Amino acid sequence: PENITTIDLTAFVSYNGENVAASKITNLTYNSLINADAEGMETGDNKLAKIFPNLVSVSIGENVEKVPSYLFFGTYDEGPYVANINTVTFNGNAVDVIGTFAFFESEMCSLINLNAVTIETSAFAYNSRIVTVTFNDRVETIGQTAFYECGQLTVVNIGDSVKTIGNMAFSKYENLQTVTFEQNENAGSGASVQSVTGLTSIEHLAFNGCTSLREIEIPESVSSVGDGIFYGCTGLTSIV
């Protein structure tokens, strides 16, 4: 109903902490009506992942400005909660922040229209089934360890709005073969890896351990490069 303004997550949990009904929900749209910080939810709890353990599809609503930290955290003290998410879709351009550990180890397969301005620490780390990640033109900061050890990732497309790639953001990708820096509309064409005018900083160990990476062109806009950004990239034959 239109007159409902807030739904606390505790609405899906019984008095004894069980969530029998919620365990049958497989598709969820997360929007501003859902209060992930409701009284009775533990700080740092894995929240939606714990309450809805069998999610297959998650849609982030057009009015969501921040995806809270730990919201879909896939592992907790008692073991994994989310292991079946196939797709996370971001709708609209309202999201400013994806919080720390928001989708940590949630085993998702696909990210669609990833549009947050800031992706915080380990937001998508240890998602072993992601194959491709494309950042749209709102993303400015990819935080440290943001996509750490996403083992199946083979392609990363970094848009021209990205300014900072944080420490170990894409570390430990044994299957990563291609890193594409999206060409700005005013840049030249023809290069296999194009320039990005917005990217200024690639921080420590950003691509550490990407053993399948063969070549990469660092955009001319980059003015700061951290230590060991290609440490352990044993297959790398060309850096421009």
Side-chain angles (χ1 to χ4, degrees):
E2 293 181 0
N3 59 328
I4 294 178
T5 58
T6 302
I7 301 174
D8 289 351
L9 286 182
T10 50
F12 299 96
V13 181
S14 67
Y15 69 92
N16 62 355
E18 295 180 355
N19 56 329
V20 176
S23 68
K24 298 180 180 180
I25 294 175
T26 57
N27 300 289
L28 177 71
T29 295
Y30 175 78
N31 58 39
S32 61
L33 293 179
I34 298 176
N35 180 15
D37 296 313
E39 184 177 353
M41 295 299 297
E42 299 177 25
T43 301
D45 200 349
N46 50 328
K47 299 176 180 177
L48 291 188
K50 190 173 184 178
I51 293 174
F52 305 103
N54 295 309
L55 289 177
V56 173
S57 175
V58 175
S59 178
I60 307 298
E62 295 182 2
N63 55 4
V64 174
E65 295 181 358
K66 179 176 182 179
V67 179
S69 298
Y70 294 91
L71 191 67
F72 292 95
F73 193 98
T75 304
Y76 207 56
D77 293 341
E78 297 89 347
Y81 282 95
V82 172
N84 298 308
I85 292 179
N86 288 318
T87 304
V88 176
T89 302
F90 292 83
N91 298 290
N93 286 312
V95 178
D96 291 325
V97 177
I98 299 176
T100 301
F101 296 107
F103 293 93
F104 182 93
E105 209 172 39
S106 60
E107 294 295 331
M108 69 183 67
C109 287
S110 176
L111 281 170
I112 298 175
N113 192 34
L114 183 55
N115 61 8
V117 175
T118 299
I119 301 169
E120 294 186 345
T121 300
S122 297
F124 296 97
Y126 290 101
N127 278 284
S128 61
R129 297 193 299 170
I130 294 179
V131 175
T132 301
V133 175
T134 299
F135 302 94
N136 84 352
D137 58 8
R138 292 185 75 244
V139 180
E140 295 182 2
T141 301
I142 302 171
Q144 66 178 15
T145 61
F147 290 88
Y148 183 83
E149 207 161 313
C150 294
Q152 297 303 312
L153 195 65
T154 59
V155 178
V156 174
N157 301 310
I158 298 173
D160 60 14
S161 60
V162 175
K163 298 177 181 178
T164 301
I165 299 174
N167 299 342
M168 299 190 292
F170 297 101
S171 283
K172 300 292 185 180
Y173 288 1
E174 294 182 357
N175 295 306
L176 182 63
Q177 299 174 11
T178 303
V179 178
T180 299
F181 296 107
E182 183 179 318
Q183 179 176 293
N184 183 274
E185 61 182 7
N186 295 320
S189 60
S192 59
V193 182
Q194 294 95 7
S195 296
V196 178
T197 56
L199 185 63
T200 59
S201 177
I202 303 176
E203 297 181 353
H204 307 295
L205 299 169
F207 295 97
N208 164 48
C210 296
T211 55
S212 296
L213 194 62
R214 296 290 179 261
E215 59 182 37
I216 192 166
E217 179 180 336
I218 299 175
E220 294 180 2
S221 56
V222 174
S223 59
S224 175
V225 176
D227 296 334
I229 62 170
F230 298 117
Y231 179 77
C233 295
T234 53
L236 199 59
T237 59
S238 175
I239 301 174
V240 181

